[in-house]
């Protein structure tokens, strides 16, 4: 299968998609922030007092960054539209980042800068992984017939699951998972 975009895709379809995408993002951003904040507050109000995590893929990755302070841990996979480095100020707790090395928005260079900035803030629980051979969106729309994409997708899934196991599951003094109540 040829992955080179056609002339129609490059010069008609892609530019036209921005006319739909940009107004959608601008119109929905405040509502999404409000929804995430409301749901998180409701969960935190439960009598059990659970730890709360947030994983964001693509557009949701921006919220995993900018709203990290609302959660006990968050993870962002291939986040676009991040106001960099301004929105990194929202990161105050455990944070995991997965990016494609050549992503047009949040790539290996930006990931390295992110790691440096968060390290300078004194944050200890930060994980940044850069995946080679994949494009933006690989965690949710990988070509599973391509071994590189499939492995990167699987590794990113393990990254997120492992991150939440480490930061959200209560443990006993010997490091074992505490029994559920």
């Amino acid at each position: 299968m040829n992955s080179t975009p056609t002339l129609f895709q490059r010069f008609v379809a892609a530019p036209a998609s921005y006319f739909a995408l940009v107004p959608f993002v601008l119109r929905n951003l405040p509502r999404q922030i409000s929804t995430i904040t409301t749901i998180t507050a409701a969960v935190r109000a439960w009598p059990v007092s659970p730890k709360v995590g947030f994983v964001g893929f693509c557009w949701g990755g921006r919220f995993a960054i900018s709203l990290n302070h609302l959660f006990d841990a968050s993870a962002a996979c291939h986040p676009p539209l991040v106001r960099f480095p301004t929105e990194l100020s929202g990161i105050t707790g455990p944070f995991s980042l997965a990016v494609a090395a050549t992503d047009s928005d949040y790539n290996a260079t930006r990931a390295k800068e992110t790691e440096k900035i968060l390290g300078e803030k004194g944050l200890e629980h930060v994980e940044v992984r850069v995946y080679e051979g994949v494009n933006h969106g690989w965690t949710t729309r990988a070509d599973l017939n391509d071994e590189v994409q499939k492995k990167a997708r699987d590794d990113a899934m393990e990254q997120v699951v492992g991150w939440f196991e480490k930061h959200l599951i209560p443990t006993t003094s010997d490091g074992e998972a505490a029994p559920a109540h």
Side-chain angles (χ1 to χ4, degrees):
M1 182 173 153
N2 185 357
S3 63
T4 305
T6 65
L7 290 175
F8 176 78
Q9 290 169 324
R10 289 179 59 207
F11 297 108
V12 178
S17 69
Y18 290 115
F19 288 105
L21 179 63
V22 172
F24 172 80
V25 169
L26 294 175
R27 184 175 59 248
N28 287 291
L29 185 62
R31 191 177 81 214
Q32 296 304 318
I33 292 170
S34 173
T35 300
I36 293 167
T37 303
T38 301
I39 290 170
T40 304
V43 170
R44 291 218 183 267
W46 292 351
V48 183
S49 188
K51 287 192 170 188
V52 180
F54 182 86
V55 60
F57 298 92
C58 195
W59 192 27
R62 178 181 183 185
F63 300 122
I65 293 170
S66 63
L67 299 178
N68 167 274
H69 61 279
L70 296 176
F71 305 103
D72 296 296
S74 72
C77 298
H78 49 84
L81 308 173
V82 176
R83 289 181 301 193
F84 186 86
T86 306
E87 289 185 323
L88 296 182
S89 65
I91 300 174
T92 59
F95 174 68
S96 181
L97 177 65
V99 300
T102 58
D103 193 308
S104 61
D105 191 24
Y106 222 108
N107 54 31
T109 302
R110 186 155 284 177
K112 188 173 185 169
E113 291 175 50
T114 298
E115 196 166 28
K116 180 179 182 251
I117 290 167
L118 297 178
E120 289 171 352
K121 283 177 65 171
L123 296 176
E124 296 178 21
H125 301 285
V126 173
E127 173 183 58
V128 175
R129 293 194 192 169
V130 176
Y131 292 87
E132 299 287 341
V134 293
N135 296 310
H136 178 83
W138 90 96
T139 61
T140 57
R141 57 178 188 216
D143 176 356
L144 299 181
N145 293 315
D146 180 318
E147 286 301 316
V148 171
Q149 290 186 38
K150 183 180 185 311
K151 181 175 179 353
R153 192 274 321 250
D154 293 347
D155 289 350
M157 181 183 68
E158 288 298 321
Q159 176 185 343
V160 171
V161 170
W163 190 252
F164 288 145
E165 286 177 341
K166 180 179 179 180
H167 293 285
L168 299 180
I169 296 176
T171 57
T172 61
S173 59
D174 62 357
E176 294 295 316
H181 300 293

